[in-house]
Amino acid sequence: MSATKNILILGGTGYAGSALAREAVLRGHSVTAVSRSAPAAPVDGVQYVSADALADDIDLGAAQVVIGALSPRAENAGTLLKSYRRLMDKTRAAGARLVLVGGFSCLRREAGAPRMIEGESFPPEVPEAVVVEAKENMDVLNALLADASDLDWLFVSPAMEFSAWMPGEDLGRHRVGGDVALFDENGRSAISGPDYARAVLDEIETPAHRRAQIGVAY
């Protein structure tokens, strides 16, 4: 296995963050999870820190990899870009790698096409909070793409079906693509939390993409 890393996860008790924390610990990494709320089911081996990563100035400590798995919901709506810009600066100064959990709608249907959030409308049944969060994720991706520094970043978009409401099944496999969304032979785009986490940890341990957006699905 690759060398043990110090990994800091902001939003480490949410759906994506907790899956990432669990997989990182299973692989022997040192993991610190920052969140406003205590975890409902703490992961053995994870150090938990109580703080609002969208508002507070977080100390990165000795982190070699910083993972952002934040959801700008409720009172935090409209704060994601500002918070992640601050995190970009701190991560670059620390010489660490920045890995962000992105959104499905930031992907394209096909090469050269607009990103879905730019060229398509959300179905009317999609809650407004989800739409707002998707737009904020796109703002963050645009900031990363415009970054002219040497920041080592990765923006990892999950499949369309990826959430605590659609947890899916742990299949022990995944596919990794670029900025074009992946669908299976039935036109479905899905990934479970554990399989998404494995894809991210694979990238952390053996980087195959840098300063890029990738998508993960079955």
Side-chain angles (χ1 to χ4, degrees), residues 107-127:
L107 295 166
R108 309 177 195 273
R109 293 279 181 184
E110 57 186 32
R115 298 178 191 278
M116 284 181 269
I117 194 168
E118 297 170 332
E120 303 177 21
S121 298
F122 283 86
E125 65 271 16
V126 175

Side-chain angles (χ1 to χ4, degrees), residues 182-204:
L182 297 172
F183 295 87
D184 65 16
E185 64 275 10
N186 298 313
R188 184 182 179 193
S189 175
I191 193 73
S192 69
D195 288 321
Y196 175 85
R198 291 185 185 107
V200 174
L201 265 296
D202 285 351
E203 278 287 337
I204 288 173

Side-chain angles (χ1 to χ4, degrees), residues 26 44 70 75 83-84 86 89 100 104-105 108 113 120 123 133 141-142 159 188 213:
L26 284 174
D44 288 343
L70 300 172
E75 69 274 12
S83 298
Y84 275 161
R86 184 169 65 236
D89 291 339
L100 299 184
F104 172 76
S105 62
R108 309 177 195 273
E120 303 177 21
E133 182 174 351
L141 177 56
N142 282 331
R188 184 182 179 193
Q213 177 190 19

Side-chain angles (χ1 to χ4, degrees), residues 12-206:
T13 61
Y15 178 71
S18 59
L20 290 162
R22 184 173 293 105
E23 181 64 21
V25 166
L26 284 174
R27 297 190 186 203
H29 298 293
S30 176
V31 180
T32 300
V34 178
S35 179
R36 289 183 299 171
S37 57
V43 177
D44 288 343
V46 175
Q47 178 183 353
Y48 290 96
V49 175
S50 178
D52 184 351
L54 281 164
D56 298 336
D57 189 16
I58 303 299
D59 181 5
L60 302 188
Q64 297 163 290
V65 179
V66 179
I67 299 177
L70 300 172
S71 295
R73 302 283 176 87
E75 69 274 12
N76 282 323
T79 65
L80 191 64
L81 178 59
K82 180 180 179 181
S83 298
Y84 275 161
R85 280 192 184 279
R86 184 169 65 236
L87 188 63
M88 288 166 61
D89 291 339
K90 296 187 69 167
T91 304
R92 180 174 54 249
R97 189 175 195 206
L98 179 64
V99 179
L100 299 184
V101 176
F104 172 76
S105 62
C106 295
L107 295 166
R108 309 177 195 273
R109 293 279 181 184
E110 57 186 32
R115 298 178 191 278
M116 284 181 269
I117 194 168
E118 297 170 332
E120 303 177 21
S121 298
F122 283 86
E125 65 271 16
V126 175
E128 180 61 24
V130 174
V131 176
V132 170
E133 182 174 351
K135 291 179 178 178
E136 290 195 57
N137 270 312
M138 190 65 238
D139 289 340
V140 170
L141 177 56
N142 282 331
L144 290 170
L145 293 170
D147 177 67
S149 75
D150 59 351
L151 173 66
D152 184 359
W153 63 267
L154 186 68
F155 189 90
V156 189
S157 290
M160 180 170 62
E161 295 181 29
F162 175 79
S163 71
W165 300 276
M166 294 182 287
E169 184 180 355
D170 182 355
L171 300 181
R173 58 180 173 84
H174 62 268
R175 290 187 294 156
V176 175
D179 64 1
V180 175
L182 297 172
F183 295 87
D184 65 16
E185 64 275 10
N186 298 313
R188 184 182 179 193
S189 175
I191 193 73
S192 69
D195 288 321
Y196 175 85
R198 291 185 185 107
V200 174
L201 265 296
D202 285 351
E203 278 287 337
I204 288 173
E205 293 182 346
T206 309

